[in-house]
Amino acid sequence: MRTRGLTAVLGVVAAVFAGLPAVAGASTTTVQASTAGTVEATVVPLQVTGPAESRFNLVVMGDGYTAAELPKFREQVDKHLNVLWSIEPFKSYRNYLNVYAVEIPSPQSGVDCDPDVASPKVDTPLQMGFWGGCNPNSVQRLLTVSSTAAIQYAGLVAGTTSANRQILAIGNSDTYGGAGGTYATASGGNALSALITPHELGHSLGGLQDEYDYYARGERGAPYQGGEPSSIHHTLLTEQQMRDQQRKWFRWLGEPSESGGVIGRYEAGMYAGSGVWRPSRHSMMKTLGYYFDQVSRERMTQRISSRASLFQGSTPIGQVAAEQVVWLQTLHPASHELDVTWTLDGTALPTANRRAVDLSTLDLTPGLHTLIAKIVDPTTFIRDPAVRPTASRTWTIDTSLTAQASAEPVEFTGSTSTEHPVNADEVVYAETTQSDTAEAAIEWKVDGKPVANPGNDRDFDLGPLKLTGRHTLTAMAGGQTLTWAVDGTEPVVKSTLSKPLLTVQKPTGPEYIFNDAFTMQLAATDDSDGYVVPEFRVNGDGWYNYYGWPTDASAPFRFTAEGTEIDQLVYGKLGVPRVVPWDDVPSGYGRHQVEYRAIDASGNIGTPRQFAVTLLRPAPACTSMVTGVHSGPLYLRSGVTCLTGATINGPVLVAAGASVVATDSQVLGPVRADGAADVHLLRSRIDGPVSADGVTKSLVAVGSTVDGPVSVINSRTTEAAVLAGNTVDGPLSCSGNAPAPVNLQAPNDVSGPRTGQCARL
């Protein structure tokens, strides 16, 4: 057991209220937690939206980073946070959170038992380790932390307690792993690490369960045994029973899921392979990369709100004077305003969502009256009225009392951070000092021009302005001004695909044809600082985080018809995803629509771009290969002959049962196939006619040029012959083929007549 003393150096990196200058004369403070040696820990406020005592505080601490590796920790934390801010409900409720990094230089680099249980242990302050702390009976991906050490270091963040904070420990490792519970953990450098964080917060903060149908990878879980699960997102009930009994996620049934598909009832979860059901086909708690579905998002919204106080300040509860201004301050979601209603003796006042009420305007009768202010979060993320964030306060108005005027100057006391740009759809907020006799009005301007903001003037919704490009937003009160840069510029994301057989440019976007695995690289950039989050989705399914490739964050994402198995999980399955090898889903061959976009550090979501891709079955495997120059005719009598980058100075004749696959090649003569098994002409040039009669397995001609007529007759192929995107200098005739040939929506350029089955190709 390694216990080390803690010396905390708290640097004032950000003001207590984000957007305001640091307090003058601020200095570092040193706290000695024990005497058995020292490890200096620097608390760095990354985002401070208000007092720690009234906010939800995310305390991120690193383990296994030496002093020289702390810049790597900071870079990884930036990525983890920006991915988190791109995911709801964290995106909308970012202002509810303070985020502090605890930088702890480690004597040694790395974490315990990484990657194998027999790997050495290292000397680190938080004692993080894979295999559940080096337990051979555990699983590799379970990355644990010393709770004692984590609590000690978290305690260095003033104002935080176990009730208002969440600890996230990030280990210096490129191995996939994490854990959820009282404390959330994640490895820092794996391609999927930034997605492990929200998943584990789903456990630690939301109390959500895993939706996996396995515990040990590679082994499907046994059928579920037991009664109705306590988990909010698992059930034994049918959809009709949920509706009839008004239980579980009955309010969301039938709606498009935020993680793709439709909210319904999908079998497996809680490590059981059958016998229990979850709301979505895939979501954050089943497959890293997707969003939380509505059921999980509702719980996360509730839990985030419960860790902070909707009332951030108010006129002190008790008796107030009849001419007094009673005020309150709320939390501020970034996506919408909270609703505030005021009632006097049970009657609602027409306050239009204002944060203060001037009692002198109410013509009160002498005596005592009751004033109640109620805050309700109207978010669409919550449908269960029992968990909707709500708070109220009550004052007694005594008409015999006299309010005291305040000589305190009007000053801004809090705001949306001015240190980074806000996005063009954000609800920006500002708070001021308050007086018992007057409410300070806030005037808002965009690019120096006043913009009306009736009712609640503490929040300003940029969304209705439909701003694009760069702008300046100002808030003015009492002679003071706050200024924000408004980032209305969308992030830019560029896609780079591996070389296709054919590219067709269309008004709706490019279309590609591949006959094997292909890769997609997304490179996202923005004109503001911070990690930009790329995403993609296939066939309108859920948006999926682009993280590179599981084994290498810098490698492109690889699509195949069946997916690629890595550490007993499946990635890159085109079409309907396969998560585990035993998932029974249709293959990915055929045509698909791929959309991609990015979310910048300000929160702007880029307009999706798209392309279509058709994946053909691969050409048959080569039994012989021809490259370079071949002089004279080429007679193919058996096997599969591949012409790759070849030049054939003569005709190519394919006998019955033989196959030819020509890729990026040139044939200076005709190509004739009689009873051939397979004929594939891919991005090749044929200086002469092409005749295929009675092909028995597969016929594919894509992106090729034929100087002469093309005839395809009497084929009996497993799938339809493909004639797509070819240039034919002569007629194109097809007859007697079953199935009939297709062009995959990539018409051929034919100079002569098109007849028979190819009349529309």
Side-chain angles (χ1 to χ4, degrees):
M1 185 73 174
R2 295 156 295 179
T3 57
R4 305 185 64 89
L6 312 179
T7 299
V9 181
L10 279 73
V12 179
V13 179
V16 172
F17 295 101
L20 300 183
V23 179
S27 61
T28 61
T29 304
T30 301
V31 178
Q32 185 71 44
S34 76
T35 57
T38 61
V39 172
E40 287 191 346
T42 304
V43 177
V44 181
L46 301 179
Q47 170 178 295
V48 184
T49 62
E53 293 82 0
S54 62
R55 289 296 201 271
F56 171 37
N57 301 283
L58 181 62
V59 180
V60 186
M61 53 188 68
D63 196 38
Y65 297 88
T66 65
E69 292 174 317
L70 286 177
K72 179 170 77 169
F73 170 68
R74 295 164 194 150
E75 181 179 352
Q76 291 174 350
V77 168
D78 178 68
K79 180 177 180 180
H80 280 239
L81 289 177
N82 277 9
V83 169
L84 191 67
W85 304 141
S86 73
I87 297 170
E88 294 290 11
F90 292 97
K91 185 176 190 290
S92 288
Y93 290 88
R94 176 175 178 173
N95 291 336
Y96 283 35
L97 276 69
N98 291 336
V99 183
Y100 303 91
V102 182
E103 297 185 350
I104 318 167
S106 177
Q108 292 183 309
S109 178
V111 297
D112 294 345
C113 299
D114 182 14
D116 300 317
V117 72
S119 298
K121 295 184 178 181
V122 292
D123 184 11
T124 65
L126 298 180
Q127 305 170 33
M128 293 185 76
F130 285 95
W131 297 90
C134 302
N135 179 358
N137 296 318
S138 183
V139 292
Q140 180 195 34
R141 68 181 184 272
L142 187 59
L143 179 62
T144 58
V145 63
S146 164
S147 60
T148 300
I151 291 171
Q152 285 181 307
Y153 282 106
L156 300 176
V157 183
T160 68
T161 67
S162 59
N164 67 12
R165 75 178 173 221
Q166 175 64 57
I167 295 173
L168 169 64
I170 295 179
N172 184 14
S173 172
D174 293 338
T175 302
Y176 178 99
T182 304
Y183 316 111
T185 71
S187 56
N190 185 266
L192 291 159
S193 286
L195 298 169
I196 296 172
T197 289
H199 174 92
E200 302 303 352
L201 289 175
H203 291 310
S204 299
L205 176 62
L208 301 174
Q209 303 298 310
D210 280 321
E211 296 181 356
Y212 309 149
D213 57 355
Y214 61 90
Y215 181 73
R217 286 190 182 181
E219 300 177 18
R220 186 171 187 170
Y224 177 80
Q225 301 292 328
E228 177 66 16
S230 60
S231 165
I232 65 163
H233 55 123
H234 291 90
T235 192
L236 305 184
L237 302 175
T238 65
E239 290 189 28
Q240 192 59 51
Q241 287 172 328
M242 282 190 272
R243 289 190 178 98
D244 292 345
Q245 300 176 29
Q246 296 192 349
R247 297 179 64 189
K248 293 300 170 87
W249 53 91
F250 74 94
R251 296 180 178 87
W252 299 104
L253 285 171
E255 295 205 359
S257 172
E258 289 297 322
S259 57
V262 175
I263 298 289
R265 185 174 180 266
Y266 300 83
E267 194 168 13
M270 296 174 63
Y271 314 124
S274 61
V276 68
W277 285 264
R278 62 188 189 276
S280 298
R281 186 183 305 278
H282 40 238
S283 72
M284 174 69 69
M285 301 312 294
K286 178 173 175 60
T287 309
L288 298 190
Y290 292 104
Y291 291 159
F292 290 109
D293 66 18
Q294 285 95 315
V295 181
S296 295
R297 186 184 65 184
E298 182 172 39
R299 168 58 67 85
M300 296 300 288
T301 303
Q302 172 202 357
R303 291 293 177 85
I304 290 172
S305 298
S306 70
R307 296 290 186 97
S309 173
L310 292 184
F311 275 96
Q312 288 292 298
S314 73
T315 297
I317 295 175
Q319 291 190 329
V320 294
E323 72 274 20
Q324 190 164 336
V325 173
V326 180
W327 58 270
L328 60 83
Q329 293 180 348
T330 72
L331 285 169
H332 300 272
S335 58
H336 60 280
E337 299 179 21
L338 300 183
D339 287 341
V340 174
T341 56
W342 300 82
T343 58
L344 176 66
D345 297 332
T347 300
L349 298 175
T351 51
N353 207 28
R354 291 181 66 88
R355 273 36 180 172
V357 58
D358 186 350
L359 301 180
S360 68
T361 65
L362 300 183
D363 192 24
L364 297 172
T365 59
L368 302 180
H369 300 270
T370 300
L371 179 69
I372 299 175
K374 184 177 181 180
I375 304 174
V376 177
D377 186 348
T379 176
T380 57
F381 293 175
I382 290 180
R383 289 193 174 171
D384 183 354
V387 301
R388 183 169 295 282
T390 304
S392 62
R393 287 187 178 177
T394 302
W395 296 267
T396 297
I397 305 172
D398 186 343
T399 58
S400 67
L401 299 178
T402 302
Q404 299 297 318
S406 173
E408 183 179 356
V410 175
E411 295 179 344
F412 285 107
T413 58
S415 74
T416 299
S417 175
T418 59
E419 296 178 353
H420 56 75
V422 296
N423 73 70
D425 292 319
E426 191 164 341
V427 178
V428 181
Y429 78 92
E431 295 285 8
T432 68
T433 51
Q434 300 287 344
S435 167
D436 287 343
T437 55
E439 181 190 16
I442 299 178
E443 180 184 3
W444 298 86
K445 294 182 178 181
V446 174
D447 298 332
K449 298 179 180 179
V451 181
N453 189 32
N456 169 28
D457 66 353
R458 267 49 188 165
D459 292 295
F460 186 83
D461 188 356
L462 287 164
L465 301 182
K466 306 295 184 184
L467 299 175
T468 59
R470 289 281 180 168
H471 300 272
T472 300
L473 173 68
T474 56
M476 290 160 285
Q480 288 198 331
T481 301
L482 290 176
T483 302
W484 296 266
V486 179
D487 177 7
T489 302
E490 293 187 353
V492 176
V493 59
K494 178 182 178 182
S495 67
T496 303
L497 276 67
S498 51
K499 186 177 182 180
L501 295 177
L502 179 70
T503 300
V504 179
Q505 298 294 341
K506 293 186 177 181
T508 55
E511 301 193 1
Y512 305 101
I513 297 176
F514 292 90
N515 68 343
D516 203 348
F518 68 94
T519 61
M520 176 185 71
Q521 181 92 47
L522 295 183
T525 59
D526 189 56
D527 58 353
S528 295
D529 293 336
Y531 179 77
V532 184
V533 180
E535 300 178 319
F536 68 90
R537 65 178 178 181
V538 179
N539 300 334
D541 199 10
W543 286 102
Y544 188 78
N545 181 280
Y546 175 86
Y547 45 76
W549 190 239
T551 56
D552 182 358
S554 62
F557 197 84
R558 185 173 187 266
F559 288 103
T560 60
E562 305 299 338
T564 301
E565 187 174 335
I566 300 173
D567 294 335
Q568 298 173 307
L569 293 181
V570 180
Y571 299 89
K573 161 70 173 63
L574 191 61
V576 179
R578 170 179 280 118
V579 179
V580 288
W582 54 82
D583 278 343
D584 185 14
V585 295
S587 72
Y589 294 114
R591 182 182 175 85
H592 305 277
Q593 195 76 32
V594 180
E595 298 170 90
Y596 57 97
R597 68 183 187 186
I599 304 174
D600 65 22
S602 299
N604 292 304
I605 301 176
T607 301
R609 304 180 71 180
Q610 64 181 12
F611 61 84
V613 59
T614 298
L615 183 62
L616 304 176
R617 294 186 184 276
C622 306
T623 59
S624 62
M625 180 82 71
V626 177
T627 60
V629 178
H630 176 88
S631 297
L634 182 62
Y635 298 95
L636 308 180
R637 296 180 172 86
S638 63
V640 179
T641 302
C642 293
L643 315 180
T644 305
T647 299
I648 310 301
N649 289 317
V652 174
L653 305 175
V654 188
S659 299
V660 63
V661 178
T663 306
D664 297 323
S665 294
Q666 183 175 11
V667 178
L668 301 176
V671 171
R672 181 180 179 88
D674 294 315
D678 306 277
V679 176
H680 289 238
L681 304 177
L682 312 174
R683 295 193 308 256
S684 293
R685 179 180 180 86
I686 313 301
D687 290 338
V690 172
S691 173
D693 185 348
V695 175
T696 61
K697 290 185 178 179
S698 64
L699 193 159
V700 179
V702 176
S704 293
T705 299
V706 179
D707 187 9
V710 173
S711 172
V712 179
I713 61 174
N714 301 324
S715 67
R716 294 294 183 270
T717 51
T718 305
E719 295 182 348
V722 175
L723 303 174
N726 302 293
T727 299
V728 179
D729 188 9
L732 173 62
S733 62
C734 304
S735 63
N737 301 288
V742 296
N743 68 1
L744 306 179
Q745 300 185 34
N748 299 280
D749 182 5
V750 182
S751 64
R754 309 174 201 222
T755 60
Q757 293 172 312
C758 289
R760 297 185 177 182
L761 300 188

